[in-house]
Amino acid sequence: MTTLRPTSVEDVVEAVRANESVVPHGQRTKAPLVAVHGAAVGLDMRGLSGVSQYDAGEFTFTALAGTPLAELETLLAAHGQYMPFDPPLADAGATLGGSVAAGLNGSGRLRYGGVRDFIIGVAFVDGTGRLVHGGGRVVKNAAGFDLPKLMVGSMGRLGVLTELSFKVFPAPPAWCTLRVACTDLEDALDRIGALGRMPLDLEALDLEPPARLVIRVSGREDALATHARRVGEATGRPYDILTGAEDASYWRTQRAFAWVEPGAWLIKVPLTPRQVPELETELARQDVPRRYGVAANVAWLSWPAERPLTELSLNGLAGLVVRGPELRGASPWVGLPAAAAAPFARAVKGALDPRQRLPALV
């Protein structure tokens, strides 16, 4: 596939207008979502990098789509701020535009919401070569149709992202992590439900099969130990605590999906806690490494690349292949994606990409 490397928005506009088929991408940390086929021209967006505007007092920033997440996190940390939706793969070079296009969040989305809740403005080049703006650079804006949220998870199918604006939050003074030993899967899911009904501020709540909960909490250093003890006692189960460098290291490896086998497919499966037992039985039978995040509302699976994806049974759920080898001409979906929004998606696609220059909907 021929690849162009635009360094300006004008270059992106020209590239879309001059080619019959284009596929935007960044660092390719989520290669299976890049719709690779021989006739397409790739648009490597890493040349559009840098922060256009950062107002620490207003807790907002605007950056070009190819800006690495790691650079943004460093900038925000210098002002005591962070992106609460916990975007993964920053250490691998993931870019801001790629993270929005993929719609990925980390375990930290539990308390404050995901990327969809923090994006406030977007600029993109649609399939006709028009530069389109939606939302704004401040939290309070009258934007009409909510284009920023529409672009979350669009995977380059609706437009080539060029610039994005976000709101951010003050970073907590300190974090710590509790690892809770439950008796079995049913007990772990019961504990998740009970914690959700309690007035506890949890930063993350994950489940490591077969029955260990991993809970992250934050707060002032002088009060954090008391808060952690209260959460641990609320579980009614044995627990240990990670603090300082151990806590930071643990979550850094989770954001990098370090537990996934090298070269394997990483598959995201949205679900609800009620669906976990049946899926867990099937995944255990297939010997699939896995982890459940965001209070068991998403499953992350590691599937060996040498085994066909068609062999993976998800009990009627749909999974999205987000990391691993490229999928040449194949859909990144495993199972059947929800079809309820299909007519709307086709209508939006028809309006923004009537000449079908961008990757097709899946």
Side-chain angles (χ1 to χ4, degrees):
M1 183 172 68
T2 302
T3 300
L4 302 177
R5 293 174 173 81
T7 58
S8 68
V9 175
E10 291 74 19
D11 288 347
V12 178
V13 170
E14 182 179 350
V16 173
R17 290 177 178 176
N19 293 279
E20 290 298 319
S21 180
V22 296
V23 178
H25 66 83
Q27 183 67 22
R28 290 184 178 271
T29 56
K30 299 166 283 291
L33 300 183
V34 179
V36 178
H37 56 89
V41 172
L43 294 183
D44 185 337
M45 299 298 293
R46 288 176 293 175
L48 269 75
S49 179
V51 176
S52 310
Q53 184 181 55
Y54 177 38
D55 190 335
E58 292 294 331
F59 295 89
T60 61
F61 74 83
T62 299
L64 295 173
T67 308
L69 290 174
E71 291 185 12
L72 291 167
E73 290 179 346
T74 299
L75 173 65
L76 293 171
H79 293 83
Q81 299 175 358
Y82 79 130
M83 293 179 277
F85 54 94
D86 197 21
L89 301 171
D91 290 345
T95 61
L96 184 64
S99 297
V100 171
L104 294 188
N105 305 284
S107 297
R109 71 154 296 174
L110 175 76
R111 184 175 181 183
Y112 296 114
V115 59
R116 191 181 302 272
D117 301 294
F118 285 85
I119 187 170
I120 57 175
V122 67
F124 63 93
V125 177
D126 72 6
T128 70
R130 296 177 300 178
L131 180 60
V132 181
H133 293 269
R137 294 188 173 193
V138 296
V139 175
K140 294 182 179 180
N141 63 76
F145 195 72
D146 202 342
L147 286 174
K149 289 182 173 56
L150 185 67
M151 301 306 289
V152 175
S154 62
M155 297 188 286
R157 271 69 176 172
L158 303 179
V160 183
L161 294 169
T162 58
E163 191 177 66
L164 305 110
S165 297
F166 278 83
K167 62 181 179 180
V168 296
F169 277 7
W175 282 274
C176 71
T177 296
L178 295 82
R179 297 183 299 189
V180 182
C182 300
T183 57
D184 53 26
L185 177 64
E186 182 180 2
D187 181 47
L189 293 172
D190 285 344
R191 295 303 93 205
I192 288 175
L195 290 169
R197 294 188 293 272
M198 295 179 184
L200 301 171
D201 293 326
L202 308 181
E203 298 285 337
L205 174 55
D206 287 5
L207 167 61
E208 294 180 345
R212 183 164 79 168
L213 300 183
V214 184
I215 307 169
R216 200 180 198 194
V217 296
S218 67
R220 300 196 322 267
E221 291 189 18
D222 60 347
L224 188 56
T226 300
H227 181 29
R229 184 170 61 252
R230 181 186 176 205
V231 172
E233 291 173 352
T235 68
R237 301 294 180 267
Y239 65 91
D240 62 357
I241 297 180
L242 303 178
T243 60
E246 284 187 315
D247 165 85
S249 176
Y250 176 86
W251 291 104
R252 188 178 302 112
T253 61
Q254 296 308 313
R255 293 179 67 197
F257 298 104
W259 57 273
V260 175
E261 295 293 329
W265 308 103
L266 173 64
I267 303 172
K268 173 188 174 184
V269 183
L271 75 172
T272 67
R274 289 185 178 181
Q275 294 170 309
V276 169
E278 185 177 2
L279 178 62
E280 176 64 11
T281 298
E282 181 63 26
L283 295 177
R285 184 188 67 80
Q286 298 178 91
D287 195 26
V288 178
R290 58 211 179 270
R291 180 185 178 91
Y292 299 91
V294 196
N297 281 284
V298 61
W300 296 100
L301 319 180
S302 173
W303 181 257
E306 64 271 14
R307 296 173 63 182
L309 287 166
T310 52
E311 292 182 2
L312 178 60
S313 175
L314 297 178
N315 290 67
L317 298 172
L320 184 67
V321 184
V322 299
R323 190 158 169 76
E326 292 180 346
L327 291 170
R328 293 189 172 273
S331 169
W333 286 101
V334 180
L336 298 176
F344 173 76
R346 287 196 298 268
V348 174
K349 175 74 169 175
L352 295 177
D353 186 25
R355 299 174 186 175
Q356 301 297 304
R357 285 174 169 159
L358 301 170
L361 294 174
V362 292

